[in-house]
Amino acid sequence: MNGARFTGKIAALCGGVGGAKLALGLSHLLEPDQLSIIVNTGDDFEHFGLAISPDIDTVIYTLSGEVNPETGWGRKDETWRFMEALTRLGGETWFNLGDTDLATHAFRTGRLAGGAGLTDVTREIARAMGIKVAILPATDDPIRTVVETDEGALPFQRYFVGRQCQPAVRSLRYENARNTRPTPQVVAALEAPDLAAIVICPSNPFLSVEPILAIPGIRERIEARDVPVIAISPIIAGQSIKGPLGKMMGEFGMASDVASIADHYRGLVDILVVDEADREAVFDGTKKRVTKTLMKTLDDRIALADFVLRTAIDAKGDTK
Amino acid sequence: MNGARFTGKIAALCGGVGGAKLALGLSHLLEPDQLSIIVNTGDDFEHFGLAISPDIDTVIYTLSGEVNPETGWGRKDETWRFMEALTRLGGETWFNLGDTDLATHAFRTGRLAGGAGLTDVTREIARAMGIKVAILPATDDPIRTVVETDEGALPFQRYFVGRQCQPAVRSLRYENARNTRPTPQVVAALEAPDLAAIVICPSNPFLSVEPILAIPGIRERIEARDVPVIAISPIIAGQSIKGPLGKMMGEFGMASDVASIADHYRGLVDILVVDEADREAVFDGTKKRVTKTLMKTLDDRIALADFVLRTAIDAKGDTK
């Protein structure tokens, strides 16, 4: 933004690693009260009795500077004494739990058991870790992504971590979605009078964004706004940067390219930001904006966030 | 035993630190199939969603050589990264959970959630840690010791760890006791045809032994046997070696001495083993045997176990 201050608010829909990187960039350019990060909870699960919210934790660790820079998830300077002891016991070790990461899950589990909502607990953890922007679970109600595969139905983490996304995906279900509600904080973020844009981070549309949109009232509220809805393609030159998206699109019979992303989001998204590698991509009904979208460094994250904010300014009054 | 082999089986009722020390001594003198350690579960609780069984863990850690030698509970070479991270989150830190100790609780919680019983899980953990003797939860059903104090009712761990036994105790309840059953393994241990003696370890009679005896069918089975029931006094020269027993006996209006222990166990216990410091103690209706009962070293533990086994041999056919 070249020092010019962006006015108005941003609501960003976000999954894990890739989305968190853009959220971090946005947090560098916006005042805390200008940014609400609405996070997928479809990946949440219980393990050893602990309530684990992988995407929320990735966003918290990323924004607090606590994230493991090598993986993009988990905590830096982590130790693995718990896992070593669990291995000696013959316990289930398919999901890695670092010694300090465990504290986040235990804290959350204890507060939830005491009657707090996921939004409250998330705010407490984020504040304790020095984060000022609002990290908002899309819902406080349980919603669970189930992956229908050629090996049968798998809870999300069993597919994603346990089976390393190996089984072919036939379809996805967002279990209990119809019984969930967006939180008042999410509703307020989407209905803010000074909302300038809604950003869909470069997260997996099917695994990270769709579980948010499946919560009754969220998609409708986004569609009802006359602010630009800007998505950043998680596909670059036919490849997903991380995770099973490219493979999954193939399994769904879709071409793994930005045009398919545009198709998927058609009617919801006004502008799709694609990488320079996809400069020549052609799709109808959605505006295309081109920049470098691969985020390797903090500067990359801030530059992409800056581009998104500029796109929002340019598009103002120009959409819907 | 001077190398002479003890014949027959021993069933030992056991709480945490003090009891575990004698259990360790017994395990050095007996073959694995000769010893069943029936462990108090009244201290069990849930914390951060984790199922914690403090006395079972203390017995397992002690018998596996894994115990922290300075405290008598918890694990040696423990690290505290989880607690440090939890502290930074502002979480509840009144109950210490070491990084490797956490693996035991997580393993247990996961297996219980999967439908296993506490006895099964305990066997799995014990075997993984190289223990061959049977460590048996007194029951697989929930029983919870509640301490009625001058500050109101406190769940056991809140009293014992959270409040460091400070509040004055008025009475104890063993919540849900009437709905519990001894496990088949405990019944088999108490009804074994070749049972040679029942040993009540030097554990707190009210906090560790009574919750076992409160399980319908256990006291009755002990009373029905014609084998010597041998208790080791947890009081030496008017003091409890560890924990709140002496203070608690005062709060109950009892003298804190071995005669009160004899009184408490009258009708159940045939022989009370007391320390040399209590050589002159006088009590009726229960036989007195004197030896060194303070166990500081492994040799002390084996020596006391040896004395108990000799006492059992001497008493054979001499009781009830």
Side-chain angles (χ1 to χ4, degrees), chain A residues 48 77 79 81-82 99 103 106 109, chain B residues 48 77 79 81-82 103 106 109:
Chain A
F48 302 128
D77 305 324
T79 53
R81 298 264 298 162
F82 168 83
D99 299 330
T109 306
Chain B
F48 302 128
D77 306 323
T79 52
R81 299 263 298 159
F82 168 83
T109 306

Side-chain angles (χ1 to χ4, degrees), chain A residues 48-50 66 75-79 81-83 85-86 88-92 99-107 109-111 113 124-125 128-129, chain B residues 48-50 66 75-79 81-83 85-86 88-92 99-107 109-111 113 124-125 128-129:
Chain A
F48 302 128
L50 296 167
E66 186 69 27
R75 296 177 76 158
K76 66 184 181 188
D77 305 324
E78 187 59 284
T79 53
R81 298 264 298 162
F82 168 83
M83 289 302 290
L86 188 63
R88 285 197 297 274
L89 288 177
E92 287 184 44
D99 299 330
T100 67
D101 181 41
L102 267 170
T104 307
H105 311 314
F107 180 85
T109 306
R111 292 284 294 126
E124 292 166 8
I125 297 170
M129 299 184 76
Chain B
F48 302 128
L50 296 167
E66 187 68 28
R75 296 176 76 157
K76 67 183 180 187
D77 306 323
E78 187 58 285
T79 52
R81 299 263 298 159
F82 168 83
M83 289 302 290
L86 189 63
R88 287 198 296 276
L89 289 177
E92 286 184 44
D99 299 329
T100 67
D101 181 41
L102 266 171
T104 307
H105 311 314
F107 180 84
T109 306
R111 293 283 295 127
E124 291 167 7
I125 297 170
M129 297 182 79

Side-chain angles (χ1 to χ4, degrees), chain B residues 216-239:
Chain B
I218 288 192
R219 179 186 285 272
E220 296 78 351
R221 281 186 174 83
I222 295 172
E223 289 175 349
R225 292 303 304 245
D226 63 351
V227 302
V229 179
I230 305 169
I232 297 85
S233 174
I235 292 280
I236 298 179
Q239 304 283 328

Side-chain angles (χ1 to χ4, degrees), chain B residues 235-305:
Chain B
I235 292 280
I236 298 179
Q239 304 283 328
S240 45
I241 304 313
K242 188 183 172 297
L245 177 58
K247 171 174 176 282
M248 185 178 288
M249 291 174 83
E251 290 159 357
F252 288 165
M254 302 163 73
S256 168
D257 59 24
V258 296
S260 292
I261 300 293
D263 283 349
H264 172 74
Y265 281 136
R266 186 152 301 125
L268 181 76
V269 164
D270 304 301
I271 301 167
L272 184 66
V273 177
V274 305
D275 192 75
E276 288 162 352
D278 294 305
R279 183 178 296 277
E280 306 302 325
V282 175
F283 44 83
D284 295 327
T286 311
K287 290 180 178 154
K288 184 175 75 178
R289 294 289 180 271
V290 181
T291 191
K292 183 187 169 204
T293 64
L294 189 63
M295 295 175 281
K296 291 192 173 174
T297 66
L298 176 60
D299 282 347
D300 292 341
R301 286 155 213 179
I302 295 172
L304 180 57

Side-chain angles (χ1 to χ4, degrees), chain A residues 156 159-160 164-166 169 204 207 240 242-251:
Chain A
F156 177 77
Y159 162 77
F160 192 71
Q164 303 269 307
C165 310
Q166 299 278 328
V169 178
N204 187 310
L207 294 176
S240 45
K242 190 185 169 297
L245 177 57
K247 172 174 176 281
M248 186 177 288
M249 291 174 83
E251 289 159 357

